[in-house]
Amino acid sequence: MPEPLSSCVPRLFSNPRADRERPYGPSERAILSRAAFEEAMTEIGAWPGYAPTPLRSLTGLAREAGIDRLWYKDESARFALGSFKALGGAYAVLRLLAREVTARVPGVPVTALDLVVGRYAKVTRALTVATATDGNHGRSVAWGAQVFGCNGVIYVPAACSAGRRAAIAAYGAKVVVVDGLYDDAVRRAAADAAENGWFVVSDTSYTGYMDIPRDVMQGYGVMVEEAISQLPASERPTHVFVQGGVGALPAAVCGHLWETWGRQRPRLVVVEPHNADCLYQSAVAGRPVKSEGDLDTVMAGLACGEVSLLAWAILERGADDFLTIPDEGAIRTMRKLADGEHGGRPILAGESGVAGLAGLLCAAAHEDVRRSLGLAPDARVLVFGTEGATDPEVYARIVGRSPDAVMAGALA
């Protein structure tokens, strides 16, 4: 029997503003909608290399958690990037470039293929996209810039690992290291873009910057719809545990499930590190506020101190619970997946990508939290494994084996 995460004590806040009777109305659809999702799905589904990522049943960890079913949406092989972020940043780059080309060449419809083959290279090569990132989003924007034919400048906080910086630079983008945290990188990217006439392609939104983050979040809906279609026909999840960050991912998951299933949607639990808990703190305050933590967490992709305003507009009424966990929970969950404790072949999962699953396992190991979340023996839980071993050196340091060694053990 796998060892439960009883030493990983979570912190839970059940959202008093959650309104499960509230219909998904015009104000929500102005941010995320199935109509806009269909456009994203049609576009991304036509990209070379597109294929739905697998939905894995983790029977061993379901037993450990004392629940009936546990499904894991495994994004470790999404396109060439090993992360769900490929669905957001690159899609937003495409949308931006198509708009800019159309503005300069009126009356001509612009397709992704037009941009890939360089039909409007004279226009796109003069354009630059910029963003801030802890790793995966910047890699997606850099990839999108390379594929669709523009320049990219990616800002990373000082704590961003060398491996993640190199992965971004490999797609031809300029990497700028900011002496500060992720939120400092966001501000620096916005300031430099304004000064140089660049376009910011961010997954967070703030006053005066709302349109492009909608495209980023809408792209994430592809992952959610895939998961819905892959579930057994007679079964729906009772709960979804999803990692937080600035809120773009949980808002995309929440909005898609809310509009699709209404009041029958699963209970949504947003999971963050103890030290980077801007969504948890915002839920407690009833408005967007900064994290009180120092943002020092092994879950580097979630080391965000400020909430995306668009995301909060969805989560304020749509998220049921906010949960924070210690780093140990993510570390031990990565090792459980690498060791095959879920009941199958090893799964490569990065430290930020396991946060939702780690949140479930931490919660299930504490009876008071389990009861508060309604994690009964018949519960069925969906989690999103949003990244693989995107930095092999970091992964090896945490798990104790390289990604290649983990997968080689599966074949031995």
Side-chain angles (χ1 to χ4, degrees):
M1 178 73 177
E3 182 185 354
L5 301 188
S6 53
S7 62
C8 300
V9 181
R11 180 179 48 163
L12 173 67
F13 182 76
S14 293
N15 184 12
R17 296 168 187 82
D19 186 354
R20 299 193 64 83
E21 299 302 313
R22 178 186 174 96
Y24 196 79
S27 61
E28 289 82 19
R29 287 193 180 90
I31 301 170
L32 296 167
S33 69
R34 284 204 66 92
F37 157 73
E38 294 294 346
E39 187 175 349
M41 183 71 252
T42 298
E43 176 56 54
I44 293 171
W47 289 0
Y50 169 76
T53 54
L55 184 70
R56 306 192 186 280
S57 179
L58 308 187
T59 55
L61 294 183
R63 286 193 298 271
E64 176 184 333
I67 59 176
D68 183 47
R69 296 281 190 278
L70 174 56
W71 295 290
Y72 179 92
K73 182 65 167 162
D74 184 359
E75 292 291 298
S76 62
R78 178 70 74 178
F79 289 113
L81 304 185
S83 161
F84 83 109
K85 292 283 188 177
L87 300 170
Y91 177 64
V93 169
L94 168 63
R95 295 266 295 174
L96 167 69
L97 294 180
R99 286 193 296 269
E100 291 302 312
V101 170
T102 300
R104 292 162 172 77
V105 189
V108 177
V110 180
T111 67
L113 181 59
D114 290 331
L115 298 177
V116 169
V117 301
R119 187 161 295 154
Y120 301 104
K122 188 175 291 187
V123 174
T124 61
R125 285 175 184 162
L127 303 177
T128 298
V129 294
T131 195
T133 185
D134 281 307
N136 290 337
H137 174 71
R139 193 172 176 181
S140 176
V141 170
W143 178 60
Q146 183 183 72
V147 169
F148 299 121
C150 69
N151 305 298
V153 181
I154 313 298
Y155 293 78
V156 301
C160 182
S161 71
R164 290 193 168 96
R165 296 179 199 176
I168 293 167
Y171 291 106
K174 178 181 179 182
V175 178
V176 178
V177 180
V178 176
D179 184 17
L181 302 173
Y182 167 78
D183 301 294
D184 299 309
V186 170
R187 286 185 279 272
R188 172 75 181 279
D192 286 3
E195 181 178 343
N196 292 291
W198 301 339
F199 298 89
V200 176
V201 178
S202 178
D203 61 350
T204 192
S205 60
Y206 41 86
T207 302
Y209 181 73
M210 297 286 181
D211 292 338
I212 290 176
R214 288 188 179 92
D215 289 335
V216 173
M217 289 193 291
Q218 202 68 74
Y220 296 162
V222 171
M223 175 181 67
V224 186
E225 183 68 15
E226 286 178 3
I228 289 174
S229 68
Q230 291 167 323
L231 289 166
S234 60
E235 298 181 13
R236 282 188 186 178
T238 58
H239 298 69
V240 172
F241 283 68
V242 61
Q243 39 272 41
V246 298
L249 170 60
V253 173
C254 179
H256 199 84
L257 295 175
W258 186 355
E259 186 174 15
T260 303
W261 286 337
R263 68 181 67 178
Q264 277 75 49
R265 68 188 183 276
R267 183 168 184 163
L268 185 83
V269 184
V270 180
V271 182
E272 298 172 283
H274 280 336
N275 292 343
D277 59 349
C278 59
L279 295 168
Y280 180 100
Q281 294 295 342
S282 297
V284 171
R287 58 185 174 82
V289 298
K290 295 182 180 180
S291 171
E292 297 177 355
D294 60 11
L295 310 188
D296 182 14
T297 173
V298 72
M299 293 169 269
L302 307 180
C304 309
E306 299 179 34
V307 175
S308 167
L309 298 182
L310 281 176
W312 184 250
I314 296 286
L315 295 172
E316 181 180 16
R317 303 289 181 186
D320 297 287
D321 305 278
F322 294 85
L323 186 80
T324 72
I325 61 172
D327 280 1
E328 182 190 355
I331 291 169
R332 290 179 59 189
T333 300
M334 289 174 68
R335 292 172 179 169
K336 284 175 178 290
L337 293 174
D339 291 342
E341 289 187 15
H342 52 281
R345 290 184 57 184
I347 293 175
L348 295 178
E351 57 274 21
S352 300
V354 300
L357 175 57
L360 165 68
L361 297 178
C362 291
H366 293 83
E367 189 58 34
D368 56 336
V369 182
R370 170 194 285 278
R371 285 198 307 269
S372 295
L373 291 173
L375 289 171
D378 62 351
R380 301 179 301 275
V381 179
L382 170 65
V383 299
F384 293 89
T386 50
E387 65 173 359
T390 52
D391 187 324
E393 289 187 8
V394 171
Y395 181 89
R397 190 160 61 244
I398 292 172
V399 173
R401 288 168 288 159
S402 71
D404 288 344
V406 169
M407 297 315 294
L411 302 175

